[in-house]
Amino acid sequence: MALPKVFAHTQLRRSPIYRETQAAGAFSEIINGAAVPMHYGNPDSELGRAQRMAIADLSGLPRTGFKGAGTIEWLQGQGLAIGPDSNMAYRQEGGALAARLAPSEIFLIDSLEATGALIDTLNAAWAWGTEKPRKLIGYPMPRQDSHAWFMITGNAAPEMFAKICGVDLRPHKFQSGQIAQTSLAKMSGIVIRDDRGGIPAYHLLADIASAEYLWAAVLDAMWEFGGAPVGLQALRRLGEVQS
């Protein structure tokens, strides 16, 4: 197969680990102005890998955040479905997740279709009001360049996490949509359970400045389970598989 024609360093946005994915042979497509790894040369084999043990770099996909007094009420007024519990992620129409990290903080990540429609709409809709007294609506917390975004999938994922995380992420202990704000390989991170086609799957969001370290640490932890990188295509296909 020919070498990929899309190189991350030529794009406006770059994943913090683009050198690692390019070196691993990633074939990428431009999404949200970034080169997102779609596969690593053999898409058919990656579905099986994603079912067993895999990691994908989603750092190029759209995400944003809002925080502060009035945030939840404003977002609900924009049509978002947000439940009362913190440390839960709430599915939106179109597939995006509104991760409620605190009573007045939302971290919004796009669906794996990555249209960015909801995030673009919310970013455009937010503005300080001119009325007095001013209505409390929180404030934006741009997340595109603050957090790296990986996804871990596979039946071996909970066992792998036990090596790098103190939270019990086994499916019967950590329910779908639940969030853990915890330590991952001795750095702070956010874990969100979001199964794909009946296969355990977890979003990892962590400080973008330490993304290379976290990527390497997870790859090392999953080595004994046969884990390796997969592209976005495998994750999309995984979601189409019936449990």
Side-chain angles (χ1 to χ4, degrees):
M1 185 177 292
L3 291 174
K5 296 181 180 179
V6 173
F7 293 95
H9 67 271
T10 66
Q11 305 307 311
L12 181 63
R13 290 193 175 104
R14 304 178 191 178
S15 165
I17 61 157
Y18 77 90
R19 295 179 181 87
E20 284 76 4
T21 56
Q22 282 190 174
F27 288 70
S28 301
E29 290 183 7
I30 304 304
I31 301 175
N32 192 38
V36 176
M38 299 302 290
H39 65 81
Y40 287 82
N42 191 345
D44 291 337
S45 70
E46 291 185 24
L47 176 59
R49 186 183 304 158
Q51 293 171 325
R52 295 187 302 273
M53 182 79 265
I55 183 171
D57 178 25
L58 305 181
S59 298
L61 303 191
R63 54 198 179 279
T64 192
F66 297 90
K67 184 178 182 178
T71 290
I72 304 303
E73 293 77 9
W74 179 76
L75 289 172
Q76 290 172 333
Q78 297 296 313
L80 271 68
I82 301 174
D85 297 327
S86 297
N87 286 318
M88 288 296 298
Y90 299 96
R91 182 81 60 193
Q92 306 303 307
E93 184 177 354
L97 285 177
R100 189 166 188 171
L101 303 183
S104 60
E105 181 177 3
I106 293 292
F107 194 136
L108 191 67
I109 62 175
D110 205 3
S111 74
L112 297 189
E113 295 307 312
T115 67
L118 177 60
I119 290 171
D120 288 345
T121 297
L122 292 174
N123 286 336
W126 190 93
W128 284 113
T130 58
E131 70 279 0
K132 295 183 182 297
R134 180 174 290 163
K135 185 178 180 180
L136 294 176
I137 60 172
Y139 52 89
M141 290 284 289
R143 297 297 193 180
Q144 190 70 47
D145 299 310
S146 67
H147 285 67
W149 177 7
F150 305 147
M151 193 170 199
I152 309 296
T153 70
N155 289 314
E159 190 175 357
M160 183 280 296
F161 271 117
K163 299 171 66 174
I164 62 172
C165 178
V167 177
D168 189 344
L169 299 180
R170 290 176 295 172
H172 68 287
K173 293 289 188 178
F174 193 71
Q175 64 180 294
S176 181
Q178 193 168 347
I179 298 170
Q181 300 182 62
T182 184
S183 175
L184 295 163
K186 299 186 178 181
M187 65 174 285
S188 296
I190 301 166
V191 182
I192 306 171
R193 183 178 163 201
D194 184 20
D195 292 358
R196 305 286 298 171
I199 299 297
Y202 306 84
H203 299 284
L204 266 61
L205 301 159
D207 179 16
I208 204 165
S210 300
E212 289 180 313
Y213 162 75
L214 183 60
W215 179 264
V218 174
L219 283 175
D220 181 71
M222 64 171 54
W223 179 82
E224 69 174 283
F225 305 102
V230 298
L232 181 56
Q233 282 185 8
L235 301 186
R236 288 173 173 173
R237 292 179 63 193
L238 196 61
E240 297 169 357
V241 176
Q242 296 300 313
S243 59

